[in-house]
Amino acid sequence: MRTLNELVVIPGPNAASLSKSIALLSGAALSNVHRKIFPDGEIYVRLEHIYLNKPHRALIVSSMYPNQASSFLETMLLIDASKRHGASEVIALIPYIAFSRQDKVFLSGEPISIEVILKGLYLSGASHLITADIHNPKSLREFPGTFTNVMVSDILVRESLKYVDNPIILAPDIGALERASFAAKKHGLDFDYLVKTRDKASGEVTYEPREVNLSGRNIVIVDDIISTGGTIAESTKVCLSRGALSIVVVATHSLFVGGARDRIINAGVKKIITTNTVPVIKDEAVEVIDISERLVEAIRELTES
Ligand code: R5P
C-alpha cells in the first residue's frame, strides 16, 4: 500500500473511530485535537500534530450526527485552524452531511439548508469535499470546490445476499432509485421503487407499489437515511401486504431516532444492514459495515491524481 505523504487526518466531531481507521488504512498521520466547551457553551478547538505550521494537506473527518448544528460549526473551526497552520489544501471527509434533505424550497419562506452547509464548508477553507451517499447528489453542485460522492449501496446489498436469495432491490421512493439501481445492476438483481406521496402541509406520507409483483419474493429495501424508521416500516408493511417473503433493509446512515430500530423490526424486517458513517450500536438485528476502505479509495484517487 502506498503512503499518502504529508496527509494529516484531523478527527472531527463524532468521528474518532472512523478517523483512526482512515489514518491506519491510508498511512496518513493522525492529529490530536484538543477540544473544550467554555462555560457559556462556546466550542474551542486546537490542533496538535507534528506538521503544524509546516506544509501538509489536511483531511478533516467529521460526521454531522448527532448534534448536527454544533458538529457543523466544529468542522468549520477545524478547517479554519488547518488553513491557518500550514495546510496547503483542506479536504473535508464528511460521510454523513446533515441538513441534506432540505435540498429545495418545499414551502414558501424556507431556506435551502444543504446549500448553506456546503457554502459554509467552502468559505471556511475546504477546497474538496468527500461524502458518502448524500441524500441528493445534485445538491453537491452548490459546493464551490470539487467534490466526490462515494456510493456504498453495492457493499450493503452484497452483504444482504448472506440473508436473502435473489431479492428484488426496492427503493422506498423514486429519490432512492438511483442508489437502489446502482447496487442492483452491480449484483445482477431486479430493482424497482415504491411511489411515495407526502402531503406538504401535514407531512402525512402514503405509499403505492408500482406494477411489480412482490409476491413470493425476498425484498431488500435500500435507502440513504433511517431517521424515525417511518419510511422503512411503512414500506415493509406495503411489501408484506403484497405477499413478499422476507424483508432486509440496507441504509447508509442510521440515525435511529427514538425507537426507530424497534419500529422497523416490529414491522417485520429480518435484518438492518448499515454503515459506520454515524455512530451506531450493532446487535442481533443490526449489522454495521465499516466503509473506511472505500472512503480511502476516494482519498487516494484525489490525492494521487
Ligand atoms: C427521505 O427522502 C429519505 O431518503 C429517507 O427515506 C427518510 O429521511 C427516512 O426518514 P424516516 O426514517 O424518519 O422515515
Side-chain angles (χ1 to χ4, degrees):
M1 179 179 288
R2 276 173 31 204
T3 301
L4 302 172
N5 290 328
E6 297 168 8
L7 183 70
V8 181
V9 173
I10 315 283
N14 309 311
S17 164
L18 188 61
S19 300
K20 268 187 206 155
S21 163
I22 297 284
L24 196 69
L25 286 170
S26 65
L30 180 63
S31 172
N32 188 41
V33 173
H34 176 69
R35 40 170 64 84
K36 67 179 178 184
I37 307 283
F38 285 109
D40 56 10
E42 291 184 2
I43 300 170
Y44 170 90
V45 292
R46 182 161 51 81
L47 304 176
E48 297 171 338
H49 61 75
I50 57 166
Y51 294 103
L52 216 57
N53 300 316
K54 295 182 192 138
H56 68 278
R57 282 174 298 181
L59 178 75
I60 316 283
V61 183
S62 292
S63 177
M64 284 172 58
Y65 186 83
N67 306 316
Q68 296 91 320
S70 65
S71 299
F72 173 49
L73 176 60
E74 185 179 330
T75 302
M76 291 194 294
L77 297 180
L78 292 169
I79 293 169
D80 182 80
S82 293
K83 279 299 277 184
R84 288 177 193 282
H85 298 287
S88 54
E89 178 190 30
V90 178
I91 302 164
L93 170 61
I94 311 178
Y96 176 67
I97 298 201
F99 302 98
S100 61
R101 285 166 288 180
Q102 185 72 30
D103 59 351
K104 60 182 172 193
V105 171
F106 297 93
L107 292 174
S108 180
E110 291 178 345
I112 301 183
S113 308
I114 185 62
E115 286 194 22
V116 175
I117 301 292
L118 296 172
K119 286 174 184 159
L121 295 168
Y122 181 78
L123 290 174
S124 307
S127 54
H128 192 94
L129 173 66
I130 301 174
T131 189
D133 200 4
I134 191 168
H135 178 66
N136 176 3
K138 291 191 180 83
S139 309
L140 288 167
R141 293 179 192 156
E142 298 304 321
F143 183 70
T146 51
F147 55 81
T148 310
N149 182 40
V150 178
M151 297 287 277
V152 296
S153 54
D154 59 318
I155 301 176
L156 296 174
V157 166
R158 183 179 64 211
E159 188 66 15
S160 76
L161 299 177
K162 287 184 182 168
Y163 305 101
V164 282
D165 189 36
N166 190 30
I168 297 175
I169 307 304
L170 194 70
D173 57 52
I174 195 165
L177 184 59
E178 199 176 319
R179 69 179 61 83
S181 65
F182 170 75
K185 285 174 187 166
K186 274 221 166 182
H187 298 290
L189 299 165
D190 297 337
F191 62 93
D192 212 321
Y193 68 96
L194 297 176
V195 179
K196 174 178 167 182
T197 316
R198 187 187 296 270
D199 185 286
K200 281 186 179 173
S202 69
E204 193 189 337
V205 175
T206 50
Y207 297 84
E208 288 298 326
R210 295 183 75 232
E211 292 304 311
V212 55
N213 190 2
L214 305 180
S215 181
R217 295 292 302 268
N218 295 311
I219 309 292
V220 173
I221 301 176
V222 178
D223 209 354
D224 57 334
I225 301 169
I226 295 176
S227 179
T228 65
T231 302
I232 297 296
E234 293 310 311
S235 306
T236 297
K237 287 177 197 163
V238 169
C239 293
L240 292 174
S241 73
R242 295 295 192 285
L245 273 186
S246 70
I247 316 288
V248 167
V249 169
V250 308
T252 311
H253 317 287
S254 289
L255 315 185
F256 285 154
V257 175
R261 177 228 178 258
D262 292 351
R263 187 175 182 188
I264 290 170
I265 298 303
N266 292 339
V269 168
K270 186 172 167 181
K271 198 92 182 170
I272 303 169
I273 303 171
T274 188
T275 80
N276 58 338
T277 59
V278 299
V280 190
I281 297 170
K282 62 180 175 186
D283 61 30
E284 69 288 351
V286 179
E287 185 173 334
V288 182
I289 306 285
D290 181 0
I291 59 160
S292 303
E293 276 193 32
R294 186 151 297 180
L295 296 174
V296 169
E297 279 171 26
I299 298 163
R300 284 181 190 286
E301 273 173 29
L302 183 67
T303 54
E304 295 180 2
S305 57

